[in-house]
Amino acid sequence: MSEKKKGLFRRLFGAIWSVYRGFRATVLNIIFICLVLVIGSALFSGGDKVQIADTSALYLNLRGDLVEQKRYVDPMAAAINEAAGGQEEAPEMLVTDVVKLINHAAKDNRIQVMVMDLSALGGGSLDKLKSVGKALEAFKASGKKIFAYGAYYGQNQYFLASYADQIALEPMGAVLLEGYGSYPMYYKNALEKLKVSTHVFRVGTYKSAVEPFTRNDMSDAAKEANSAWLNELWADYKQQVAERRGFGIDNFDETFAAMYSKLQAAEGDLGQYALTSKWVDAVQTREQFRNSMIAIVGKNDNNTYNHVTFDEYKKMVIPAKQFDNPNTEKIAVVVARGTIIDGTAKPGMIGGDSTAALLRRARHDDKVKAVVLRIDSGGGSAFASEVIGQEITLLREAGKPVIASMGAVAASGGYWIAAPANEIWASPTTITGSIGIFGLLHTFENAMSTIGLNVDGVGTTELAGFSAGMPLFKGLSEPAKDMMQLLIERGYTEFLTMVGKNRNMSNEEVDKVAQGRVWTGSKALELGLVDKLGTFDDAIARAAEMAGLSQYDITVVQPELSPTEQIIADLFGAAKAKGWLPSATMQPEQRALRQLTQQVKQDFVLMNQFNDPNGIYSYCLSCQIN
């Protein structure tokens, strides 16, 4: 039988589509080949070496958030975004890179001074800022001076600027030190208007992680707990800055009335207000500051002072590839940063399986003699936290000491994964504790009926369809709610028991400091929740001491990129380093809009990441600082 002949229009459009596909494939292949050739030449070319004058300044122009592990960003997507003139949503810098650069500059005879430009510095917890500050103090101890110059100093920027020998401000600039706050967004009314039912199961008087979905304001218990640790952090901030700047802690304006009075005396001039308050040492135009630096280190061909930028110096100091010596004994570092989820996760989040796999690699590596788990997490999945905790226990049983080193936050699930370690080290301003768990489920039975939808059918048992998501459409029955609450209470008991076993405390003793209550590192030390206060370096030194090591290397155990991802990262990374990819600067109005929308986005992305197989979570939402 002969094949039926296609119609005229079908053949016509088929031919057009074939031509289009061929044209598209050809164009894309040409573009890709050109990109590979151009970027490949950047990767393998040896020119454009950074030249540093005999007398020069390190221009420390920090851009982005200070972090201890960069989140995973798809290299191809990032390169295409930058090539199109876009900008990285939230650029990040490794604290270790910044510290390494400053320490190297302290010993570099060509670097005479440092100029800090902190205008693009984003977020950074006190412990990270202090790590950079310690390196700045070492730089000054080498006999070299630090100058800070900028148009605006927010709280993070000013904390680092306070280490400088001189802080200069542009004539129309400002210094704003507003204190710490915790201001979550609350969604109860919005959910009710959308006819979404919220079901909460929790244990802990202070377990306020679910409050944004169940209330329209912060509860008195949450306000009490949050005020305590926020005031401790603010007191620490004021004390340190005041000591470096040589004034009292009463110099901080904490009311609008006090600020207005000083501004009135300065006739509304924010620069003069900062100068009178001794926040800054000088008000200078850019040309004045530029000339003052030229007098110290000389002028270059661009009619400014001799300097090398942060990125330029980084290319010289930090090799693109890090290679471990296979013959040396090692302290392994595993970084656990972000929300804890079940399964695997890219850097910037903590996957129960993927982080456990990193710990397991350290356990089976004969050259690794001890492990430091660096934690910066508000928690997440209780199941995934336990998976990670089991690997830490196995490391201890293998004779390899484990030190949990807490960064900015190690609360809820973040504390869960710290508890099994041989010792827990925190910084005084670490936010920790929040020992408690909860379950949260939104159902849409009322919303379904409002828009005229329904789900119905039959099952062999009352439980049929439960795991498939039927409660989302039908709601939860009272027996189902009782069952969920029972599971949460059991999970809380297991949390208490695990902490008590590892901290040599009874369940009753743990419960007194638990109930979801958040503590600072200093208070946690008093309560027996941590063993020592110290820095990340202190934790590494303690791990080496426990392992009996006097000579050792530090190796960071981290996920490896696939061969394809590595090639793309190398190619586009080289092009970016050459400055061949355009970059854009976020304007003030864009930054304000981002801050406005970021919290809503983070809250709902967070809820979407909650994938505990039992629906049980240990997370501290209130540990975020505004």
Side-chain angles (χ1 to χ4, degrees):
M1 182 180 292
S2 62
E3 185 179 351
K4 186 177 179 180
K5 191 173 182 180
K6 296 179 180 178
L8 176 62
F9 284 105
R10 188 173 179 184
R11 281 182 287 147
L12 176 62
F13 284 110
I16 294 173
W17 178 249
S18 297
V19 171
Y20 167 72
R21 285 193 304 173
F23 177 77
R24 183 182 65 176
T26 301
V27 171
L28 289 176
N29 285 334
I30 291 173
I31 292 174
F32 180 76
I33 291 171
C34 290
L35 280 173
V36 170
L37 290 174
V38 171
I39 298 173
S41 65
L43 180 64
F44 299 108
S45 65
D48 296 339
K49 286 188 176 181
V50 177
Q51 300 293 328
I52 302 180
D54 291 338
T55 56
S56 188
L58 172 60
Y59 181 57
L60 199 71
N61 53 328
L62 302 180
R63 178 176 178 268
D65 298 337
L66 284 169
V67 299
E68 288 167 339
Q69 180 190 59
K70 289 187 177 182
R71 68 183 183 282
Y72 173 79
V73 177
D74 181 80
M76 178 68 82
I80 292 174
N81 177 55
E82 291 199 36
Q87 58 193 17
E88 192 175 349
E89 182 178 351
E92 296 178 332
M93 302 170 291
L94 290 176
V95 176
T96 51
D97 285 353
V98 178
V99 169
K100 192 175 293 185
L101 247 70
I102 296 172
N103 288 337
H104 191 277
K107 302 173 184 177
D108 190 334
N109 292 331
R110 297 168 298 180
I111 303 297
Q112 299 293 306
V113 298
M114 181 191 300
V115 174
M116 287 198 293
D117 178 355
L118 305 170
S119 56
L121 175 65
S125 59
L126 272 177
D127 69 299
K128 297 179 183 65
L129 295 171
K130 288 178 184 178
S131 294
V132 176
K134 184 178 179 181
L136 293 174
E137 288 176 337
F139 183 90
K140 291 167 64 175
S142 69
K144 303 177 180 182
K145 289 192 173 183
I146 300 176
F147 299 87
Y149 181 78
Y152 172 80
Y153 294 98
Q155 208 148 274
N156 290 334
Q157 292 91 346
Y158 191 78
F159 188 87
L160 286 187
S162 67
Y163 286 92
D165 294 281
Q166 177 181 301
I167 303 176
L169 183 70
E170 289 194 23
M172 296 187 68
V175 177
L176 181 61
L177 308 179
E178 55 188 301
Y180 290 118
S182 176
Y183 298 99
M185 190 167 288
Y186 291 83
Y187 304 100
K188 182 176 182 288
N189 278 353
L191 293 171
E192 287 176 349
K193 289 181 179 180
L194 295 171
K195 295 189 179 300
V196 175
S197 302
T198 302
H199 306 275
V200 173
F201 313 93
R202 64 177 176 178
V203 180
T205 304
Y206 299 93
K207 199 62 192 171
S208 57
V210 293
E211 283 191 358
F213 299 93
T214 61
R215 296 178 59 95
N216 292 315
D217 55 6
M218 187 177 288
S219 68
D220 291 338
K223 287 181 178 179
E224 174 194 345
N226 293 343
S227 293
W229 61 264
L230 286 167
N231 284 327
E232 285 187 56
L233 261 61
W234 182 229
D236 185 86
Y237 182 101
K238 291 192 294 184
Q239 180 182 353
Q240 295 217 26
V241 169
E243 287 178 357
R244 286 192 290 271
R245 292 295 300 166
F247 51 62
I249 60 172
D250 58 346
N251 193 43
F252 292 77
D253 297 326
E254 300 181 347
T255 66
F256 282 110
M259 187 174 180
Y260 175 75
S261 176
K262 291 184 180 179
L263 266 176
Q264 193 176 37
E267 299 181 343
D269 186 333
L270 286 169
Q272 186 59 45
Y273 159 73
L275 189 63
T276 303
S277 299
K278 299 182 180 178
W279 300 121
V280 301
D281 301 294
V283 175
Q284 294 179 314
T285 65
R286 298 185 183 189
E287 183 67 12
Q288 288 172 331
F289 181 78
R290 192 179 296 121
N291 287 334
S292 68
M293 292 298 102
I294 290 174
I296 298 175
V297 296
K299 182 189 292 187
N300 63 19
D301 294 337
N302 295 320
N303 293 313
T304 187
Y305 58 92
N306 292 325
H307 68 274
V308 57
T309 68
F310 174 82
D311 285 336
E312 290 170 338
Y313 203 57
K314 181 181 174 182
K315 285 193 291 185
M316 297 178 56
V317 174
I318 302 175
K321 301 291 183 185
Q322 304 286 340
F323 297 100
D324 286 333
N325 185 340
N327 299 316
T328 58
E329 295 180 321
K330 296 176 176 61
I331 303 293
V333 174
V334 175
V335 178
R337 176 206 170 193
T339 305
I340 303 174
I341 66 171
D342 186 40
T344 61
K346 295 288 189 181
M349 290 182 63
I350 306 169
D353 293 341
S354 48
T355 301
L358 298 179
L359 293 166
R360 190 159 54 253
R361 272 172 52 189
R363 175 159 58 94
H364 291 294
D365 187 338
D366 293 337
K367 291 296 181 181
V368 171
K369 302 303 180 183
V371 174
V372 173
L373 179 65
R374 181 64 171 176
I375 304 170
D376 196 347
S377 172
S381 165
F383 181 86
S385 299
E386 177 59 18
V387 169
I388 296 169
Q390 290 171 5
E391 276 299 330
I392 296 172
T393 300
L394 290 172
L395 271 163
R396 293 181 59 176
E397 292 174 353
K400 298 186 178 185
V402 181
I403 302 295
S405 172
M406 295 179 167
V409 182
S412 293
Y415 187 82
W416 192 311
I417 64 177
N422 291 82
E423 290 183 1
I424 301 175
W425 287 60
S427 88
T429 55
T430 294
I431 303 168
T432 187
S434 189
I435 299 171
I437 63 173
F438 67 89
L440 178 66
L441 178 66
H442 291 109
T443 58
F444 307 94
E445 65 275 16
N446 296 323
M448 293 277 287
S449 62
T450 299
I451 61 177
L453 294 178
N454 190 31
V455 175
D456 197 16
V458 295
T460 58
T461 72
E462 188 180 9
L463 303 177
F466 190 85
S467 61
M470 281 298 293
L472 294 177
F473 309 110
K474 288 292 190 180
L476 280 177
S477 65
E478 289 304 317
K481 293 178 182 178
D482 293 340
M483 181 185 70
M484 287 296 296
Q485 183 62 36
L486 180 64
L487 292 174
I488 295 298
E489 291 172 359
R490 172 63 184 177
Y492 181 63
T493 300
E494 290 176 347
F495 199 164
L496 296 181
T497 302
M498 184 275 296
V499 172
K501 177 183 176 182
N502 288 287
R503 302 299 304 167
N504 295 317
M505 301 167 69
S506 67
N507 281 20
E508 292 73 20
E509 289 173 324
V510 178
D511 188 50
K512 288 180 181 179
V513 297
Q515 295 286 323
R517 182 75 181 254
V518 177
W519 310 102
T520 62
S522 296
K523 191 64 178 178
L525 179 65
E526 296 177 21
L527 299 172
L529 293 177
V530 305
D531 297 290
K532 298 282 185 180
L533 296 181
T535 64
F536 180 42
D537 290 338
D538 294 330
I540 290 175
R542 177 56 177 157
E545 180 184 353
M546 293 185 70
L549 300 177
S550 56
Q551 299 292 328
Y552 57 89
D553 286 339
I554 299 170
T555 180
V556 179
V557 185
Q558 54 190 346
E560 298 176 353
L561 294 177
S562 68
T564 301
E565 289 175 327
Q566 189 61 60
I567 290 172
I568 294 173
D570 289 344
L571 287 173
F572 287 101
K576 184 176 180 179
K578 292 283 185 179
W580 292 357
L581 297 178
S583 61
T585 301
M586 185 177 289
Q587 299 301 313
E589 61 272 16
Q590 293 174 308
R591 188 178 294 112
L593 181 61
R594 174 190 159 199
Q595 291 173 345
L596 181 66
T597 59
Q598 192 174 38
Q599 183 171 359
V600 178
K601 176 182 174 183
Q602 285 178 343
D603 289 347
F604 281 93
V605 167
L606 173 66
M607 301 311 296
N608 188 52
Q609 291 169 346
F610 279 2
N611 65 346
D612 186 284
N614 298 317
I616 300 175
Y617 303 97
S618 182
Y619 186 81
C620 180
L621 190 62
S622 63
C623 292
Q624 300 176 20
I625 301 176
N626 299 99

